[in-house]
Amino acid sequence: MLEAMAMGVPVIATSVGGNTELIKHRETGLLIKPENVDSLVKSIDELMNNPSLAKRLALKAREHVVNLYNWDKVIMEYIKLYEGTTH
């Protein structure tokens, strides 16, 4: 999911686990309930028929991932981890 977002691809994900931390519904992607095929079909149809929404979600998702997971931040988190200052 991170790779798709970083590449500017609109994402549809189930609202479970870490997905809800990464995806903000209708801002950085679409969240659907698990095992809800109708919701998945509806979401795919919405993105296919609304290219401006798909583009907006994709651009916002890419921006979110780039800001959250850029190398400088990742390196700083590793330094904190190794120094024992993560709290």
Side-chain angles (χ1 to χ4, degrees), residues 12-16 19-20 25 30-41 43:
I12 301 169
T14 54
S15 56
V16 297
N19 294 353
T20 58
H25 185 62
L30 298 178
L31 287 172
I32 60 171
K33 292 182 181 175
E35 300 181 27
N36 189 328
V37 176
D38 291 335
S39 183
L40 177 60
V41 170
S43 295

Side-chain angles (χ1 to χ4, degrees), residues 1-12 22-24 26-30 53-69:
M1 189 165 54
L2 281 172
E3 289 83 358
M5 293 171 73
M7 294 301 296
V9 175
V11 173
I12 301 169
L22 190 58
I23 301 289
K24 292 178 182 30
R26 302 195 75 75
E27 185 179 324
T28 58
L30 298 178
L53 173 63
K55 184 175 181 175
R56 182 176 58 80
L57 293 175
L59 290 173
K60 197 71 168 164
R62 184 181 188 314
E63 179 184 312
H64 180 64
V65 168
V66 167
N67 288 334
L68 197 61
Y69 295 100

